[in-house]
């Protein structure tokens, strides 16, 4: 961080990929350092990184939510660093989650927009009509799980890493929280019991 040490003042949040860091400073500007193609070089989008509220990461890319609810991405283009395909949909973004290879954003209306590697979470088209009233999301290495307002769960991505919850779907009711390892999910239900898959 010696290259940017003099810029790292009044730091509010730090996020990381496998090879780089991104720091949000007071006032909403961003400083990055580390391996350039892992997000350490944000020069391509630096002028857009204003009023940043939150930064999320995949293994090699960053996504920043701005105060107006829009999103700026940089890093490995194939793993979430290029959101141009969905940029017009990224409005009123409330939260962004990442797998190692893709991003998923919850919008203010409870719908979800995904981008990045399509096999490992970046393509939610198979379940898009189910992704309504999404409250929370979590990612394994290559799959996502979303909790809906009714306490049910929708999953997509790599079926071997939690993207296929069909075996336990009838048990995923009244889910309050989901936690993930690299390969599996665990859901806490309202009665305190736990359901796992992956």
């Amino acid at each position: 961080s010696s290259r940017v040490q003099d810029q790292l003042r009044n730091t509010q949040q730090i996020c990381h990929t496998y090879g780089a860091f991104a720091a949000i400073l007071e006032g909403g500007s961003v400083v990055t350092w580390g391996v350039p193609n892992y997000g350490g070089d944000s020069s391509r989008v630096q002028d857009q990184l204003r009023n940043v509220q939150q930064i999320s990461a995949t293994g090699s890319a960053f996504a920043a939510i701005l105060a107006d609810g829009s999103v700026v991405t940089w890093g490995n283009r194939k793993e979430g660093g290029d959101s141009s395909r969905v940029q017009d949909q990224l409005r009123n973004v409330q939260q962004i989650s990442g797998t190692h290879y893709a991003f998923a954003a919850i919008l203010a209306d409870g719908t979800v927009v995904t981008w990045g590697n399509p096999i490992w979470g970046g393509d939610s088209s198979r379940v898009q009509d189910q992704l309504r009233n999404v409250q929370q999301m979590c990612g394994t290495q290559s799959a996502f799980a979303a909790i809906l307002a009714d306490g049910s769960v929708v999953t997509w991505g790599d079926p071997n890493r939690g993207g296929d919850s069909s075996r336990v779907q009838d048990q995923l009711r009244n889910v309050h929280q989901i936690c993930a390892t690299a390969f599996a999910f665990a859901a806490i239900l309202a009665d305190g019991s736990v359901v796992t898959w992956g």
Side-chain angles (χ1 to χ4, degrees):
S1 66
S2 58
R3 178 180 59 82
V4 296
Q5 195 67 48
D6 61 329
Q7 300 173 55
L8 293 171
R9 300 283 183 268
N10 300 311
T11 302
Q12 306 296 301
Q13 178 198 343
I14 293 181
C15 188
H16 68 89
T17 62
Y18 289 154
F21 290 101
I24 303 176
L25 307 186
E26 189 175 49
S29 61
V30 173
V31 175
T32 59
W33 68 98
V35 180
N37 60 349
Y38 277 67
D41 178 6
S42 56
S43 57
R44 179 177 60 83
V45 296
Q46 196 64 47
D47 62 332
Q48 301 172 55
L49 293 171
R50 301 283 178 267
N51 300 311
V52 173
Q53 305 296 298
Q54 176 193 325
I55 296 181
S56 300
T58 62
S60 59
F62 290 106
I65 303 176
L66 308 190
D68 66 0
S70 62
V71 173
V72 176
T73 57
W74 70 96
N76 185 325
R77 299 174 73 82
K78 294 180 180 177
E79 296 183 0
D82 178 6
S83 55
S84 58
R85 182 179 59 81
V86 296
Q87 198 64 45
D88 61 330
Q89 300 172 57
L90 293 172
R91 299 285 178 265
N92 301 310
V93 174
Q94 305 295 299
Q95 176 194 330
I96 296 179
S97 298
T99 65
H100 293 196
Y101 309 100
F103 285 113
I106 302 176
L107 308 189
D109 65 1
T111 59
V112 172
V113 176
T114 57
W115 70 97
N117 187 300
I119 298 169
W120 293 319
D123 178 5
S124 55
S125 59
R126 182 180 58 82
V127 296
Q128 198 66 45
D129 60 334
Q130 300 171 54
L131 291 171
R132 299 285 180 266
N133 300 310
V134 174
Q135 305 295 299
Q136 176 192 330
M137 284 186 305
C138 188
T140 62
Q141 183 178 30
S142 50
F144 286 105
I147 302 176
L148 308 190
D150 65 0
S152 63
V153 172
V154 177
T155 58
W156 69 96
D158 182 350
N160 298 315
R161 300 287 186 266
D164 178 5
S165 55
S166 57
R167 183 179 56 81
V168 296
Q169 196 63 49
D170 60 334
Q171 301 170 55
L172 292 171
R173 299 286 177 264
N174 300 311
V175 174
H176 277 215
Q177 182 183 345
I178 295 180
C179 189
T181 65
F183 307 115
F185 289 108
I188 302 173
L189 309 189
D191 64 3
S193 61
V194 174
V195 177
T196 61
W197 70 98

